[in-house]
């Protein structure tokens, strides 16, 4: 019964027309459950799409609309995140930790960002910061590896910790 929702050979109309009469009540319950689960401002657009496109009480149509909408939203989020990732910059050591956190957040949203591109984005981000040059040169000149981005993140976090430690010493001894 529910397999038809993901089966693209079954048309949207067939989800209603070819519903077994014995499943009508379950389908209506599914329709209500899907709509009731869509709460909050982000879910409002999905709610409206279902009410506009689906036949009242056809939960299978509601699920297909929700699935289609979520796929489009996920793709849009990944594209937007990739654009933000490409624009990510940092020129001051004070801001590097926040920028690295943002990098990791955006990378996770992108889905399948390959390690080479992740490394290149990180390299571009930390290149203007002189405190990062040594770590960057060591990683750049190391043998090719899918772990370069991860190692660079670890090393950059270590550089940030050392910088904070030195700075706290300088501030306290003033």
């Amino acid at each position: 019964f529910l397999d038809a929702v993901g089966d693209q050979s079954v048309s949207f109309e067939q989800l209603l027309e070819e519903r077994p009469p014995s499943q009508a009540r379950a389908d209506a319950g599914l329709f209500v459950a899907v709509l009731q689960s869509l709460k909050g401002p982000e879910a409002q657009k999905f709610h409206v799409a279902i009410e506009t496109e689906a036949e009242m009480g056809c939960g299978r149509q509601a699920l297909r609309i929700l699935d289609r909408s979520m796929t489009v939203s996920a793709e849009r989020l990944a594209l937007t995140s990739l654009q933000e990732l490409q624009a990510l910059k940092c020129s001051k050591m004070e801001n590097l930790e926040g920028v690295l956190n943002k990098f990791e957040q955006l990378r996770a949203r992108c889905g399948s960002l390959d390690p080479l591109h992740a490394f290149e984005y990180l390299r571009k981000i930390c290149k203007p910061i002189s405190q990062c040059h040594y770590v960057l040169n060591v990683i750049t000149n190391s043998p090719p590896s899918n772990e370069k981005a991860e190692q660079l993140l670890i090393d950059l976090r270590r550089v940030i910790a050392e910088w904070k430690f030195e700075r706290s010493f300088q501030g306290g001894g003033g």
Side-chain angles (χ1 to χ4, degrees), residues 70-150:
M70 294 299 283
T71 302
V72 168
S73 281
E75 289 170 358
R76 190 174 301 127
L77 178 63
L79 183 60
T80 303
S81 297
L82 187 57
Q83 290 170 342
E84 284 183 56
L85 195 58
Q86 290 170 342
L88 205 56
K89 294 178 182 170
C90 186
S91 59
K92 295 181 181 177
M93 191 67 183
E94 299 90 38
N95 303 331
L96 185 58
E97 187 171 26
V99 172
L100 291 180
N101 290 339
K102 184 71 173 176
F103 168 83
E104 290 184 303
Q105 178 187 40
L106 293 171
R107 181 175 65 164
R109 286 185 192 165
C110 286
S112 60
L113 181 64
D114 68 274
L116 179 62
H117 283 97
F119 174 75
E120 286 303 317
Y121 288 132
L122 278 173
R123 190 180 68 73
K124 182 188 80 152
I125 289 167
C126 66
K127 190 175 181 180
I129 303 171
S130 62
Q131 292 93 329
C132 300
H133 287 176
Y134 176 75
V135 168
L136 191 55
N137 284 333
V138 168
I139 298 278
T140 301
N141 294 321
S142 66
S145 164
N146 284 342
E147 302 301 316
K148 274 189 171 185
E150 297 308 317

